[in-house]
Amino acid sequence: MDRLNGPTAPPLADRLWPTSLSQVPYWAFQDEDVLRAEHDRLFHGPYWSYLCLEAELAQPGDYCTTFIGEQPVLVTRDVDGEVYAFENRCAHRGALIAMADHGHAKDFTCVYHAWTYNLQGDLTAVAFQDGIGGKGGMPPEFCLSAHGPRKLRLATVNGLVFGSLSNDVPGIEEYLGEQVLEKIDRVLGGRTPVVLGRFTQKLPNNWKLYVENVKDSYHASILHLFFTTFGINKLSQRGGIIVDESGGHHVSYSAIDRTADTDADYSQQNIRSESEYSLVDPSMLDGFSEVGDDVTLQILSVFPGFVLQQIQNSVAVRQILPRAVDSTTLNWTYLGFDSDTEAQRLTRLKQSNLVGPAGYVSMEDGCIGGFVQRGIAGAGHEFATLQMGGDQAVSSESRVTEASVRGFWKAYRDGMGFTLEDQ
């Protein structure tokens, strides 16, 4: 067995996936065996998972604890200036090596039996290794270098740190592709991020329902009253969808267009996002050109569970972590940049109220997945329908499409190795 790649889950022989990208079986959100296979084949498989920001490891000795799927991970910056990552699991009896979310250390000592690790994850000392008075202790052949937590492959993109538990994952540039790299660089390139704040949100639904929501440009100005009421996002605005060749990564973007507020497209749709609400302090929506263009909304996802957002001047990264079949942890990290003026920083802080667990825009996303999870209970033999905009997973100039959602399921079923069958 390859120790980096780990064991392989048994085949899901009784699970047949529809050939059409327009059908998604509801059992995918309900089955414990499927979740176990996801951890093995996706999160421990040949994919890159977001870990943290380089800015969170500014100085040698800085560290943060995070996850790949359910696997605890410890990410550090050593005195050589390099970033390292390894399992946050003592090689002795499996206890967490580090407890805090963020911190600074010269090394790590497990609280259980005082096994000590350096900042690269190497085992450097074992308490009472030689016993006491010539009695007890580890056997003479015990070798420190032969024991230690599993180390990860790492890659960085514009200050984003990605890790993989697989030896087979392609290089990060190949993995992301030119178009996705370009859109990451558009938001983060040439600037040093500064963390403005963090939230952790518990979602009452399967992790894939939130991924679907992120990729679903069709719902954004229908579900979110705030988007359309204040002209931030309408499907009639100029924009588009980018779906990479694998289907797993996507970018949705739009440019604000005040003239779109007067069109008739929305008034004829009988949707909740047409309202008479107003803001007591409309200055919250006063912004500035983020990178010199007129794109005011860009949502970018990387398979399996990373999101980079720019909504107006609210820039954030999101990490999606499965916790159970019907439970997901969503970590938000809000960003500014070291080049921001005082006025720009204030704008970012105001607009941070747009997103997050109680954000004016995104609060509906925190419950809609739960509505679906509850709605499909007992319907494991039925299918969701994804026909908006056709049946392919391709880029589009229209955002009235579910193309990027279909793209996720294309990458997902390929990674899971399901047998395809016409329904």
Side-chain angles (χ1 to χ4, degrees), residues 19-95:
T19 301
S20 170
L21 291 174
S22 298
Q23 288 184 299
V24 176
Y26 285 137
W27 53 254
F29 307 105
Q30 301 169 325
D31 193 300
E32 293 282 355
D33 290 339
V34 170
L35 180 63
R36 297 261 49 84
E38 288 169 352
H39 282 296
D40 181 80
R41 300 178 186 184
L42 303 183
F43 293 98
H44 286 217
Y47 301 96
W48 289 105
S49 292
Y50 170 76
L51 299 179
C52 66
L53 296 159
E54 281 194 286
E56 296 177 277
L57 308 168
Q59 302 297 324
D62 287 351
Y63 72 87
C64 68
T65 57
T66 183
F67 292 86
I68 290 183
E70 64 180 356
Q71 173 65 57
V73 172
L74 183 52
V75 191
T76 69
R77 190 179 294 277
D78 200 0
V79 293
D80 61 1
E82 297 297 318
V83 175
Y84 297 87
F86 45 94
E87 291 178 326
N88 187 8
R89 177 182 60 82
C90 181
H92 180 213
R93 300 274 287 278

Side-chain angles (χ1 to χ4, degrees), residues 182-259:
E182 177 185 330
K183 295 303 183 181
I184 293 175
D185 186 71
R186 175 189 166 271
V187 176
L188 300 178
R191 303 193 287 180
T192 300
V194 175
V195 176
L196 301 183
R198 300 181 180 90
F199 281 107
T200 294
Q201 184 175 6
K202 303 298 183 183
L203 302 176
N205 52 263
N206 189 275
W207 69 277
K208 299 185 295 296
L209 288 173
Y210 186 77
V211 174
E212 278 196 326
N213 177 274
V214 166
K215 291 175 175 286
D216 179 5
S217 58
Y218 169 44
H219 89 280
S221 61
I222 301 174
L223 175 66
H224 300 307
L225 180 149
F226 197 94
F227 258 162
T228 303
T229 300
F230 299 103
I232 296 176
N233 183 22
K234 283 191 174 184
L235 293 170
S236 50
Q237 294 171 351
R238 179 171 58 85
I241 297 287
I242 297 171
V243 182
D244 85 304
E245 185 176 351
S246 75
H249 320 314
H250 103 290
V251 184
S252 173
Y253 62 94
S254 65
I256 199 164
D257 181 2
R258 295 298 180 186
T259 64

Side-chain angles (χ1 to χ4, degrees), residues 350-377:
K350 283 186 176 181
Q351 292 185 3
S352 67
N353 291 288
L354 295 174
V355 292
Y360 291 136
V361 172
S362 62
M363 59 182 170
E364 294 96 344
D365 292 331
C367 60
I368 197 66
F371 294 168
V372 176
Q373 194 79 43
R374 290 156 57 189
I376 64 176

Side-chain angles (χ1 to χ4, degrees), residues 38-351:
E38 288 169 352
H39 282 296
D40 181 80
R41 300 178 186 184
L42 303 183
F43 293 98
H44 286 217
Y47 301 96
W48 289 105
S49 292
Y50 170 76
L51 299 179
C52 66
L53 296 159
E54 281 194 286
E56 296 177 277
L57 308 168
Q59 302 297 324
D62 287 351
Y63 72 87
C64 68
T65 57
T66 183
F67 292 86
I68 290 183
E70 64 180 356
Q71 173 65 57
V73 172
L74 183 52
V75 191
T76 69
R77 190 179 294 277
D78 200 0
V79 293
D80 61 1
E82 297 297 318
V83 175
Y84 297 87
F86 45 94
E87 291 178 326
N88 187 8
R89 177 182 60 82
C90 181
H92 180 213
R93 300 274 287 278
L96 291 172
I97 296 171
M99 306 290 185
D101 292 337
H102 298 86
H104 186 89
K106 63 177 183 178
D107 55 26
F108 301 97
T109 299
C110 176
V111 67
Y112 199 0
H113 298 94
W115 285 35
T116 299
Y117 304 87
N118 65 20
L119 292 169
Q120 298 186 25
D122 301 318
L123 179 63
T124 58
V126 170
F128 301 112
Q129 179 177 345
D130 298 325
I132 296 178
K135 297 179 180 180
M138 302 297 286
E141 65 272 18
F142 179 80
C143 178
L144 292 175
S145 62
H147 297 268
R150 181 168 43 158
K151 298 183 180 181
L152 278 64
R153 289 184 60 186
L154 289 182
T156 58
V157 178
N158 292 114
L160 304 171
V161 180
F162 290 88
S164 179
L165 290 160
S166 171
N167 280 323
D168 298 325
V169 64
I172 193 69
E173 291 81 9
E174 178 186 350
Y175 183 79
L176 294 175
E178 183 177 345
Q179 286 184 300
V180 174
L181 283 168
E182 177 185 330
K183 295 303 183 181
I184 293 175
D185 186 71
R186 175 189 166 271
V187 176
L188 300 178
R191 303 193 287 180
T192 300
V194 175
V195 176
L196 301 183
R198 300 181 180 90
F199 281 107
T200 294
Q201 184 175 6
K202 303 298 183 183
L203 302 176
N205 52 263
N206 189 275
W207 69 277
K208 299 185 295 296
L209 288 173
Y210 186 77
V211 174
E212 278 196 326
N213 177 274
V214 166
K215 291 175 175 286
D216 179 5
S217 58
Y218 169 44
H219 89 280
S221 61
I222 301 174
L223 175 66
H224 300 307
L225 180 149
F226 197 94
F227 258 162
T228 303
T229 300
F230 299 103
I232 296 176
N233 183 22
K234 283 191 174 184
L235 293 170
S236 50
Q237 294 171 351
R238 179 171 58 85
I241 297 287
I242 297 171
V243 182
D244 85 304
E245 185 176 351
S246 75
H249 320 314
H250 103 290
V251 184
S252 173
Y253 62 94
S254 65
I256 199 164
D257 181 2
R258 295 298 180 186
T259 64
D261 291 346
T262 60
D263 64 27
D265 292 334
Y266 278 75
S267 61
Q268 299 173 2
Q269 303 302 319
N270 190 31
I271 56 179
R272 67 179 294 273
S273 56
E274 286 289 289
S275 77
E276 301 298 325
Y277 285 96
S278 62
L279 288 172
V280 172
D281 180 10
S283 71
M284 189 183 74
L285 297 180
D286 293 341
F288 55 93
S289 178
E290 187 65 46
V291 292
D293 60 23
D294 58 357
V295 172
T296 53
L297 184 145
Q298 177 181 295
I299 305 296
L300 179 152
S301 69
V302 173
F303 189 89
F306 169 74
V307 183
L308 169 65
Q309 69 158 61
Q310 175 222 334
I311 301 176
Q312 299 284 80
N313 299 118
S314 176
V315 178
V317 295
R318 312 177 201 169
Q319 181 188 36
I320 305 166
L321 298 172
R323 285 292 175 255
V325 165
D326 58 356
S327 179
T328 299
T329 292
L330 178 61
N331 292 324
W332 300 77
T333 304
Y334 298 81
L335 305 180
F337 299 92
D338 64 356
S339 57
D340 287 345
T341 65
E342 185 176 346
Q344 289 172 333
R345 182 63 53 80
L346 178 60
T347 295
R348 294 194 195 282
L349 290 172
K350 283 186 176 181
Q351 292 185 3

